[in-house]
Amino acid sequence: MRLGWDEIKRRAKAFSDEWKDAHYERGQTQTFYNEFFEIFGIKRKQVAIYEQRVKLLNNRHGFIDLFWPGTLLVEQKSASLDLGRAQGQALDYVEGIHPTQQPRWVLSCDFQTWVLLDLETRTQLKFRLADLHKHITAFDFMLGRKVSFETQAGVTIKAAELMGKLHDALEETGYVGHDLEQLLVRLLFCLFADDTGIFQPKDIFLQLVENDTRPDGSDVGRVLNDLFDVLDTPENARQSTLQAELNAFPYVNGRLFAKRVRTPHFTQAMRDHLLDAARHDWSGVSPAIFGSLFQSVMDAKERRARARITPPKPIS
């Protein structure tokens, strides 16, 4: 059940009281934000991650303190450090994030002072931790929105389009039939699991493809088959030498990953199609329509005709 604002304000006041002496970034940040998300009844690990690596200009890299793809980026500093500089650093990070995942809100914070920037309206709110309960409605985006039928339809059409591009590219290379069907069903599951809490932490499938496969796509098929083997193996039956990135995935019962499919040979373009699909927010796709979604992905002619008749509406 969604919390009411009276209860959220009460929790915010209690949070402020508990953290009134907080000041040290490295020692307290993660606990601080885990408890902040709890104000809204949200388990932080289901939606946001810490220390997200991001590529910057001049071949440099940085690490985002807290990142909720498509929603919120937090740059946290120890008390009394320059929050203007922190916000500048956060905006540099935004530029390095793929457009499909760029957040709308940026929070710069030193525990006691909060600066919340809305990148869409370019409005900014600054307040003290002690006054969090007075400004808590500014974080109404934390509660999200119920997915309406219209919005869910738009999300589903977009998902079918993204997967359809990968389907068509694989089909053109001669990767067809049962192997193609099995591969797409498994990928659909992984994409959905990556955004709905089945895989923990969030986006580990996206990060596996993005960080542990070659940009030219040449090893994507092998990595996917290795992942499918892992998903079909209970944790206590896995090899001790299995790389940590794969061992982080859970065992998925139900024999979805039981039989090995022919290794698909990806190109750079195919890898890009898969990454675009992985960056899409699959949490708005209902499992109840997975069957029709899959059929839409497999039927390229029908998918293109529907896209011409019913173009997807932009999702805010």
Side-chain angles (χ1 to χ4, degrees), residues 18-167:
E18 180 179 353
W19 290 95
K20 62 184 179 182
D21 297 320
H23 65 281
Y24 180 52
E25 176 196 355
R26 291 191 178 277
Q28 298 176 301
T29 294
Q30 294 191 7
T31 304
F32 183 76
Y33 283 102
N34 286 346
E35 294 189 6
F36 173 68
F37 274 74
E38 287 286 357
I39 292 173
F40 304 91
I42 300 170
K43 295 292 185 183
R44 188 276 315 162
K45 66 180 181 180
Q46 293 181 351
V47 296
I49 55 178
Y50 294 120
E51 298 298 322
Q52 171 66 43
R53 190 170 185 260
V54 62
K55 188 174 182 179
L56 303 174
L57 296 176
N58 301 321
N59 205 30
R60 296 179 298 117
H61 292 85
F63 292 88
I64 301 171
D65 290 326
L66 182 143
F67 181 47
W68 182 351
T71 302
L72 176 67
L73 183 152
V74 175
E75 180 61 24
Q76 185 73 13
K77 296 299 181 185
S78 296
S80 76
L81 293 182
D82 185 354
L83 287 185
R85 184 176 178 181
Q87 186 180 89
Q89 183 177 348
L91 294 176
D92 286 343
Y93 290 157
V94 171
E95 291 300 316
I97 298 170
H98 191 278
T100 60
Q101 289 193 305
Q102 286 182 349
R104 175 172 171 177
W105 289 273
V106 169
L107 175 64
S108 308
C109 181
D110 66 359
F111 296 101
Q112 301 306 315
T113 302
W114 297 48
V115 181
L116 181 66
L117 173 64
D118 184 337
L119 293 177
E120 183 172 304
T121 65
R122 307 307 296 185
T123 56
Q124 181 171 286
L125 173 66
K126 183 176 181 179
F127 59 90
R128 298 287 294 172
L129 172 63
D131 294 324
L132 174 62
H133 63 290
K134 298 178 183 178
H135 301 286
I136 199 65
T137 55
F139 295 89
D140 57 357
F141 60 85
M142 299 284 292
L143 299 175
R145 283 177 286 201
K146 291 184 178 179
V147 180
S148 66
F149 177 80
E150 181 179 55
T151 301
Q152 189 177 87
V155 172
T156 303
I157 291 171
K158 181 63 175 177
E161 288 178 342
L162 291 169
M163 287 300 290
K165 291 179 180 179
L166 178 59
H167 164 274

Side-chain angles (χ1 to χ4, degrees), residues 24 57 68 88 133 135 175 180 190 195 214 218 247 265 273 275 287-289 293 304 310:
Y24 180 52
L57 296 176
W68 182 351
H133 63 290
H135 301 286
Y175 193 85
L180 178 58
C190 290
D195 285 338
R214 299 189 184 102
S218 59
N247 201 36
H265 295 285
H273 290 327
L275 285 171
I289 54 86
L293 173 61
R304 291 169 189 145
T310 313

Side-chain angles (χ1 to χ4, degrees), residues 198-213:
I198 298 173
F199 290 167
Q200 293 288 346
K202 188 178 183 298
D203 287 334
I204 57 171
F205 177 74
L206 168 61
Q207 291 179 35
L208 179 72
V209 178
E210 193 167 41
N211 300 330
D212 293 282
T213 65

Side-chain angles (χ1 to χ4, degrees), residues 192-302:
F192 182 77
D194 220 23
D195 285 338
T196 58
I198 298 173
F199 290 167
Q200 293 288 346
K202 188 178 183 298
D203 287 334
I204 57 171
F205 177 74
L206 168 61
Q207 291 179 35
L208 179 72
V209 178
E210 193 167 41
N211 300 330
D212 293 282
T213 65
R214 299 189 184 102
D216 64 5
S218 59
D219 63 346
V220 171
R222 177 189 60 77
V223 171
L224 289 176
N225 266 338
D226 287 347
L227 171 62
F228 298 158
D229 286 344
V230 168
L231 293 172
D232 192 50
T233 305
E235 287 86 346
N236 60 5
R238 295 175 182 175
Q239 288 182 254
S240 60
T241 52
L242 184 66
Q243 68 185 85
E245 290 80 3
L246 287 171
N247 201 36
F249 286 85
Y251 169 55
V252 178
N253 204 350
R255 302 190 63 77
L256 174 60
F257 300 96
K259 293 184 179 179
R260 195 172 183 87
V261 298
R262 181 162 53 104
T263 301
H265 295 285
F266 275 60
T267 62
Q268 179 178 339
M270 292 177 191
R271 179 179 181 270
D272 289 342
H273 290 327
L274 180 57
L275 285 171
D276 285 344
R279 293 180 181 119
H280 181 63
D281 183 4
W282 288 77
S283 62
V285 178
S286 169
I289 54 86
F290 256 46
S292 59
L293 173 61
F294 176 72
Q295 289 302 319
S296 177
V297 170
M298 294 298 296
D299 192 334
K301 183 177 180 180
E302 177 186 339

